[in-house]
Amino acid sequence: MADVEGDGNQSRTLKALLSIRELILEGVLAPGKRISELSVVERTGISRTPIRAALQRLEEEGLVETIPSGGFAVKSFSQQEVFDAIEIRGTLEGLAARFAAERGSSARLGPLHACLEELDEMVETAIRSEEDFSGYVRANARFHALIVDLAESPTLKRQIERAAALPFASPSGFVMAQASMPESHRILLVAQDQHRCVVEAIANGEGARAQAVMQEHARVAGRNLRLALRHEKALARVPGGTLIRTVK
C-alpha cells in the first residue's frame, strides 16, 4: 500500500514539474518574479505539496532559484551562462562519443546509421516549414541519444541529462529558431557534416576524433545563439528564450 502511495506522489510531482516547466518556457512565469504557489495551484489544479516538491526539483535543474524572502523565483540567464551551459553539454557529449568509439561494436551501430540517413534526407530536401523543423528536432534528439546509449555509461548519461535540462543547452535548443533565420540551411549543412564525421569516427574506433568532432558540433548551438540574439523573432522561438537576458 505504501508503494502505491509513493508512486502516486511521484506521479503528481512529475505532473507538477512538467506543468511548471511549461509555464516557465512559455513565459507565463516571468524571470526574476517570485512564483506564487497558490497561483500555480489555481492554474494547474495540482495541490501545493507536489507543487513545492516540483519547485525543489526545478531548482536542481537550474530553472528556478530560492529567494531571501522565501520561496522560489524563475531564474534568468546571462548570455555567458548560456554559452557555458552549451559548452558543458558539448564536453560531456564529446566524452560520450569517445566512449561509444572505444566501447561500441559495429553490430550496434545500425540505428545510428539509420538516423544519420534520415537526417541526410531531411537536410538534402531543404528544411523550410515548421513541420520540417519539428521533424528535424525529433530526429536530431534521437541521434544524440543514440550516441549516449552507445557510450554504455549510466553515470555519464545522468550528467548529460542534467546538463541538457536547461532547454537552450539541449542538442535541439536552437533548431526551431533557425526556421526564421536566412542562414538556417547553411548551418544545417555544417551540423549534418559533423554528424557524418562523428559516426564515421565511432565506426572506426577513433575515440579522440569522435570526442573532438562532437565537442565542436555543440558549438553550432553557440553560433545559433549569436544569430538568434540578432533576430528577435528567432529568439522568441527558442524554448526558454525569454529567460536569456539580452543587451539593448
Side-chain angles (χ1 to χ4, degrees), residues 139-156:
N140 185 58
R142 188 165 70 254
F143 179 88
H144 284 254
L146 285 167
I147 290 177
V148 174
D149 288 341
L150 286 168
E152 298 181 340
S153 174
T155 303
L156 180 58

Side-chain angles (χ1 to χ4, degrees), residues 69-86:
S69 60
F72 299 88
V74 178
K75 188 175 179 181
S76 65
F77 297 84
S78 69
Q79 294 172 27
Q80 188 59 57
E81 285 176 312
V82 178
F83 283 120
D84 288 350
I86 292 168

Side-chain angles (χ1 to χ4, degrees), residues 126-137 172-185 187-188 224 227-228 231 233-238:
I127 300 173
R128 290 192 178 90
S129 69
E130 181 95 11
E131 186 177 349
D132 289 340
F133 275 96
S134 295
Y136 181 88
V137 165
S172 298
F174 286 89
V175 172
M176 290 307 295
Q178 291 176 250
S180 58
M181 294 193 295
E183 305 90 344
S184 63
H185 190 62
I187 294 172
L188 286 172
N224 282 337
L227 289 170
H231 298 275
K233 184 179 177 182
L235 189 61
R237 299 172 68 87
V238 175

